[in-house]
Amino acid sequence: MTDRTSLRAGARRPQRHLPLQILLGFLVIYFLVPFWWVIVNSSKDAPGLFGGGNTLWFTDQIDYLGNLKQLFTYDGGIYLRWILNSTLYAIAGGIGATVLAVMAGYGFAKYRFAARRFSFAIVLGALMVPATALVIPTFILFSRLGLTNTVWAVILPSLLNPFGVYLMHVYARDAVPDELLDAARVDGAGEVRTFIQIALPLMRPAVVTVLLLSAVASWNNYFLPLAMLSDNRLFPVTVGLGLWQGIASANNAGTTSLWSLIILGSLVSVIPLVIAFFSLQRHWRGGLSVGGLR
Amino acid sequence: MTLLTEKRAPRAHDESRKIRGKVHLREHLMGWLFVGPFGIVFLAFLIAPLGYALYLSLFQKKLIGGTSFVLFDNYVKAFTDPSFLSGAWFVIRFSLVSIPLQIVIALAMALILDAVTTLFARFSRLMIFLPYAIPTVIGAVMWGFLYSKGFGPLTDIFGLFGATAPDFLSSDLIFYGLLNVVTWQWAGYYMIILYAALQGVDPSLYEAARMDGAGRWQVATRIKIPLIAPALILILVFSLIGTLQFFNEPQILRFLAAGTIGSDFTPNMYAYQQAFSLANFNYGSAISFALGGIVFICVYAFLFFTRKRRSFL
């Protein structure tokens, strides 16, 4: 009996376990080092960057504003364009892929239509298809249609998200009771209205998860836009920074200022996603467990 | 009670069959209406490119004589091409090291974060996950700086002890340099998936085990890990697919380590070079398809060997 009560109390009390927390501390340092380096070094001007000195600490001159101004005015403000392009690709690709995945997942879970099992098996098989294997043939198909080097070349292929369909299928099957849908139908609600008003609110955590995962995938995409786009005014920020990195490495002497732009550019480009992740944390965490556990 | 339901069951079934018969067509239609839009995208951007890649890979373009049908010549060429083979061997070797490493680290972190419930643990969880929000390209750029002799802290840190810093961009150590970038990038994401799975386990199971005298370690290895096996298999499959397609990180670090990483470092980089630098789309498609085949075989072999665990498929 005493054992039992102490166990209960133990379950409620926060588990401290000091050695493990110290270990966590080291892990946190490891995962934060690159961020720290970027934050410190984007405050420096070119002499500060190349002048030796401590690479993990600030110099006397901390000039974020000057560097930011340089970043956003370099080459006619191309960096801002890249950020806006990335935003467009992430939002269009993310929302489009999510809408398609939610509808398909719900359809697979709740309707017994012809060839359902067969089509779902094919979608699952598609999870194994390496996305990059599709880039080269898609490029050739798009160039036949004159679609390469347009925003569509990046947005349309990112609408494909078989994993999202799988996730929504599992979630819709488990979280949306058939009885509830039948009750809505008996009450005279149409199929579309039942979906939007009954099923969709129940599927919300998974919808947010799929939305976030597809938006991140679009934002992070590198291979597809690298292959599809040749006009650097259409580049997303990943391809743009890759381009700068290549230029800066190729002629080290002439373009020393480009290095500080790359460093600050990396920092600025990660801020939107970090904010999105932390502010939506509550909503997407519940959805993630679905994919793994059933 | 059992008798009653048994008697009733057939009739209820009959009735529902009758209703079903009426709504049958409607259900087919609605089902396809919901699945259709995705189906179109699926056909246009997955089936069509795959079919086209297969088609292209069966042809060869020559300066004299134009394009001709060569059946599997491109594949024979690929599987005897030292560039493709060395790239494929690299990604397989890299997968064998990096995936177990990432999963072990992610699992350890998830178990720790599941056991420790302080505010600092919650903060750590977020910080460990943070790299997932960073594009792989930016992650590679950041680590490239940290590795570089000019900007990186390694020279200073090793200088303190009078040692020379290891050059992770040299051909000897690039394997480890990339291993570190990949682990940093993905371990936190895998940790979150495993952590979410752990949180879904009924805690009364742990209490029962503890009352039977199981220690922390035993609870972790005998109860927690088996229960989250489906999540483990899921991330294993995804990391396998991702690693075999390795492209972004070596492509970016190439600029900093020009002599170390060639254009045929991984199969994907080689396919990219063939298609876009040399405009050899037929051979590029064949390499892509061959790589896809390797991924497919590896994943199916893996799923086959873990079938007992009831995988996610």
Side-chain angles (χ1 to χ4, degrees):
Chain A
M1 196 62 208
T2 35
D3 249 351
R4 219 173 172 178
T5 41
S6 76
L7 266 173
R8 285 238 180 102
R12 240 180 275 132
R13 199 168 1 97
Q15 299 282 311
R16 295 197 187 284
H17 216 286
L18 202 63
L20 287 182
Q21 289 210 64
I22 293 170
L23 183 63
L24 276 181
F26 282 113
L27 283 169
V28 169
I29 291 172
Y30 166 72
F31 283 100
L32 290 184
V33 159
F35 295 102
W36 176 248
W37 188 92
V38 168
I39 290 169
V40 165
N41 285 279
S42 51
S43 75
K44 295 176 183 171
D45 51 8
L49 202 56
F50 289 93
N54 193 340
T55 51
L56 284 178
W57 198 250
F58 298 94
T59 55
D60 297 337
Q61 279 216 304
I62 294 179
D63 192 12
Y64 281 112
L65 280 181
N67 284 341
L68 274 173
K69 205 180 142 210
Q70 216 194 344
L71 176 68
F72 282 104
T73 52
Y74 181 82
D75 198 7
I78 191 86
Y79 182 79
L80 183 64
R81 244 198 110 93
W82 291 341
I83 292 277
L84 293 177
N85 289 340
S86 278
T87 314
L88 170 72
Y89 301 148
I91 290 178
I95 292 180
T98 308
V99 170
L100 295 179
V102 171
M103 284 175 60
Y106 176 77
F108 277 124
K110 294 298 167 192
Y111 294 97
R112 310 274 166 276
F113 55 89
R116 179 182 72 107
R117 277 166 176 282
F118 175 70
S119 346
F120 193 63
I122 290 186
V123 172
L124 283 186
L127 288 177
M128 311 290 150
V129 175
T132 50
L134 300 171
V135 168
I136 291 171
T138 311
F139 170 81
I140 305 167
L141 285 173
F142 273 31
S143 72
R144 293 260 161 93
L145 298 170
L147 280 172
T148 47
N149 212 17
T150 65
V151 292
W152 300 111
V154 181
I155 294 173
L156 289 178
S158 35
L159 296 180
L160 181 74
N161 186 356
F163 181 62
V165 174
Y166 164 73
L167 231 129
M168 290 314 309
H169 169 256
V170 175
Y171 203 85
R173 192 191 53 198
D174 296 347
V176 184
D178 285 335
E179 294 78 14
L180 207 62
L181 299 180
D182 285 338
R185 282 176 196 135
V186 169
D187 286 350
E191 297 294 328
V192 177
R193 216 180 120 196
T194 309
F195 169 64
I196 293 174
Q197 291 190 342
I198 311 286
L200 215 49
L202 291 170
M203 287 153 58
R204 207 188 61 174
V207 174
V208 176
T209 309
V210 171
L211 180 63
L212 211 62
L213 291 178
S214 8
V216 169
S218 294
W219 180 278
N220 289 354
N221 211 341
Y222 177 68
F223 193 43
L224 178 75
L226 180 71
M228 290 287 181
L229 305 172
S230 51
D231 178 3
N232 67 7
R233 293 165 60 78
L234 294 176
F235 282 1
V237 71
T238 48
V239 181
L241 285 174
L243 174 77
W244 276 359
Q245 169 106 341
I247 296 173
S249 313
N251 50 345
N252 244 322
T255 51
T256 41
S257 69
L258 212 45
W259 284 117
S260 47
L261 293 188
I262 297 168
I263 297 168
L264 185 60
S266 313
L267 178 64
V268 173
S269 75
V270 305
I271 292 172
L273 272 196
V274 171
I275 292 174
F277 257 90
F278 287 173
S279 55
L280 289 171
Q281 219 213 125
R282 216 161 42 84
H283 301 281
W284 56 264
R285 275 245 320 282
L288 257 191
S289 55
V290 182
L293 198 75
R294 68 182 233 196
Chain B
M1 192 60 211
T2 4
L3 262 172
L4 254 175
T5 38
E6 264 173 17
K7 261 188 196 166
R8 242 188 223 164
R11 254 178 73 196
H13 188 68
D14 269 5
E15 260 165 49
S16 80
R17 268 251 302 263
K18 249 186 238 161
I19 301 167
R20 286 228 161 223
K22 259 187 226 160
V23 291
H24 216 56
L25 186 73
R26 202 175 137 79
E27 188 157 358
H28 282 305
L29 214 70
M30 287 315 298
W32 276 108
L33 210 69
F34 274 105
V35 175
F38 174 79
I40 292 168
V41 168
F42 191 81
L43 287 177
F45 302 117
L46 195 121
I47 302 293
L50 270 186
Y52 192 53
L54 182 63
Y55 170 81
L56 278 176
S57 69
L58 304 178
F59 290 86
Q60 243 170 30
K61 204 174 182 176
K62 294 223 171 77
L63 278 175
I64 306 156
T67 309
S68 57
F69 181 73
V70 294
L71 200 64
F72 296 126
D73 275 11
N74 282 324
Y75 292 96
V76 174
K77 191 179 156 195
F79 281 102
T80 51
D81 182 343
S83 289
F84 175 73
L85 289 179
S86 71
W89 174 232
F90 173 81
V91 288
I92 290 172
R93 217 159 31 109
F94 193 76
S95 305
L96 288 176
V97 178
S98 77
I99 294 172
L101 181 76
Q102 291 174 67
I103 305 253
V104 166
I105 292 176
L107 184 61
M109 293 192 300
L111 287 170
I112 292 175
L113 289 168
D114 188 52
V116 184
T117 54
T118 56
L119 194 67
F120 176 68
R122 283 216 294 276
F123 167 78
S124 313
R125 198 176 68 215
L126 272 183
M127 293 304 117
I128 291 169
F129 181 57
L130 195 59
Y132 176 68
I134 311 303
T136 50
V137 169
I138 311 291
V141 168
M142 286 173 164
W143 279 106
F145 284 131
L146 285 165
Y147 292 158
S148 79
K149 286 210 177 82
F151 317 115
L154 288 176
T155 320
D156 292 343
I157 293 170
F158 280 82
L160 283 179
F161 305 100
T164 34
D167 181 4
F168 284 112
L169 297 171
S170 67
S171 48
D172 288 341
L173 295 180
I174 189 71
F175 187 92
Y176 302 97
L178 287 167
L179 190 63
N180 175 52
V181 178
V182 169
T183 308
W184 177 83
Q185 188 92 48
W186 295 104
Y189 175 60
Y190 300 146
M191 177 276 289
I192 285 281
I193 294 181
L194 295 176
Y195 175 81
L198 282 172
Q199 292 286 297
V201 176
D202 182 2
S204 65
L205 284 173
Y206 309 147
E207 274 189 43
R210 256 177 240 145
M211 278 197 282
D212 287 344
R216 265 174 197 280
W217 178 251
Q218 277 170 315
V219 170
T221 52
R222 299 272 173 81
I223 298 180
K224 291 186 177 182
I225 295 177
L227 279 172
I228 60 167
L232 275 170
I233 288 173
L234 179 84
I235 61 176
L236 263 160
V237 168
F238 281 128
S239 54
L240 187 59
I241 296 170
T243 314
L244 292 174
Q245 304 181 61
F246 213 27
F247 179 82
N248 294 1
E249 292 89 346
Q251 178 76 11
I252 287 292
L253 288 180
R254 236 187 109 183
F255 300 131
L256 294 170
T260 308
I261 300 179
S263 53
D264 57 356
F265 193 67
T266 70
N268 235 336
M269 288 170 73
Y270 190 46
Y272 176 79
Q273 187 221 14
Q274 286 293 328
F276 294 102
S277 306
L278 307 176
N280 193 352
F281 289 112
N282 299 103
Y283 193 46
S285 298
I287 293 171
S288 282
F289 221 82
L291 174 66
I294 292 177
V295 172
F296 220 80
I297 290 166
C298 287
V299 170
Y300 263 98
F302 173 76
L303 285 178
F304 181 79
F305 287 120
T306 54
R307 215 170 29 168
K308 262 194 265 172
R309 291 263 181 228
R310 276 304 300 150
S311 74
F312 76 106
L313 286 183

